[in-house]
Amino acid sequence: MIEEQKHMRTVRSFVKRAGRTTEGQQKALEDVWPVMGLEVKSGPVVFSEVFGRDAPVVLEIGFGMGDSLLEMARREPEKNYIGIEVHTPGVGRLLSNASDEGLTNIRIFAEDAIEVLAKCIPDNSLDVVQLFFPDPWHKKRHHKRRIVQPDFAQNLRKKLKIGGYFHMATDWENYAEHMMDVMSAAEGYTNKMGEGQYSPQPEWRPVTKFQKRGERLGHGMWDLMFEKTE
């Protein structure tokens, strides 16, 4: 039994991508991380202490290279942003750019979002959770690796405030349908656009690198917004 457990692997929704970290990104990882970085081992986050103020909190899972999160934080300085990303060059780039612009409303985890949610985010504390262009795991045998699943929806619901919402975006129609099915069946949520309806892309959601690539490939775009109602 012990041997079996040793070899059991948790199903993960992401794969760490290879990528070269530039000198600037590495410098930011060394110099800026102590200011903007958060770690699971530190335990639950007290937002008012971490940001030095009380403000609405937006959490983004998988911010990639960080450009869209940076733009949102720049546009809406009245909000606090927490980004989660396991791709080291992306973390370094966002740290570097946020520091260069003097932004103080961004904090970053460089760890698995499932662990961050379970161990660090207080219940009923988030105003928005964003999941933009997650890995679609488009092969049927890999669908179990998609992050949006019934258990995940309920784990998120615990972390959102009443009236807070989960905003998803994808350029894969099959994943959009999967998200719609999972979230429409999820207890305690209501589709902000109406039952079975996708959302127009909001003006405040920047066009990401992944979206541009999808558009070049002729993919459609789907946004979904589900509000926590209970």
Side-chain angles (χ1 to χ4, degrees):
M1 185 65 178
I2 293 172
E3 193 64 24
E4 263 181 44
Q5 288 175 343
K6 190 173 159 187
H7 292 291
M8 280 176 68
R9 294 185 351 163
T10 305
V11 174
R12 290 201 165 181
S13 63
F14 63 88
V15 170
K16 279 201 173 186
R17 291 171 286 139
R20 191 176 69 84
T21 305
T22 66
E23 279 185 33
Q25 291 164 0
Q26 187 58 44
K27 190 170 190 309
L29 288 164
E30 294 165 4
D31 297 348
V32 185
W33 180 260
V35 178
M36 293 189 184
L38 299 172
E39 297 183 354
V40 167
K41 67 183 182 184
S42 300
V45 176
V46 179
F47 296 140
S48 59
E49 291 179 5
V50 164
F51 289 99
R53 65 176 186 173
D54 288 310
V57 179
V58 179
L59 181 140
E60 179 162 342
I61 297 171
F63 58 73
M65 295 306 286
D67 294 347
S68 65
L69 182 56
L70 185 83
E71 187 174 335
M72 285 183 281
R74 184 195 303 126
R75 281 187 196 169
E76 300 191 271
E78 71 279 5
K79 295 179 181 178
N80 292 334
Y81 288 85
I82 293 180
I84 305 175
E85 178 56 62
V86 296
H87 185 51
T88 303
V91 172
R93 179 182 171 90
L94 180 55
L95 288 170
S96 178
N97 289 340
S99 177
D100 287 349
E101 293 197 24
L103 296 179
T104 59
N105 60 335
I106 294 179
R107 297 293 183 273
I108 297 171
F109 281 97
E111 299 176 76
D112 186 342
I114 302 300
E115 279 197 73
V116 172
L117 287 165
K119 298 176 182 178
C120 303
I121 305 300
D123 290 351
N124 306 301
S125 67
L126 299 175
D127 293 84
V128 183
V129 176
Q130 299 177 166
L131 179 71
F132 298 154
F133 305 94
D135 194 319
W137 295 107
H138 56 278
K139 292 180 180 176
K140 192 168 183 180
R141 69 178 184 274
H142 291 153
H143 284 187
K144 64 181 180 291
R145 300 189 71 166
R146 290 174 167 177
I147 192 169
V148 179
Q149 304 290 353
D151 286 350
F152 178 74
Q154 293 310 316
N155 290 338
L156 272 194
R157 183 163 73 101
K158 291 176 192 170
K159 306 304 174 181
L160 284 165
K161 297 175 180 177
I162 294 286
Y165 64 93
F166 180 27
H167 180 187
M168 298 148 275
T170 182
D171 62 328
W172 286 85
E173 185 172 13
N174 178 263
Y175 201 180
E177 292 167 349
H178 169 86
M179 289 172 168
M180 183 65 77
D181 289 345
V182 169
M183 295 306 301
S184 296
E187 183 182 348
Y189 286 98
T190 298
N191 187 333
K192 285 171 71 74
M193 296 298 117
E195 189 175 347
Q197 298 300 305
Y198 295 98
S199 168
Q201 180 178 339
E203 287 181 13
W204 44 262
R205 177 171 79 71
V207 174
T208 69
K209 178 184 77 172
F210 294 102
Q211 180 168 346
K212 288 175 183 171
R213 185 181 67 185
E215 288 171 344
R216 283 198 306 272
L217 294 170
H219 295 184
M221 295 295 150
W222 292 269
D223 281 68
L224 302 85
M225 295 188 191
F226 279 78
E227 180 180 337
K228 175 179 172 175
T229 53
E230 58 183 82

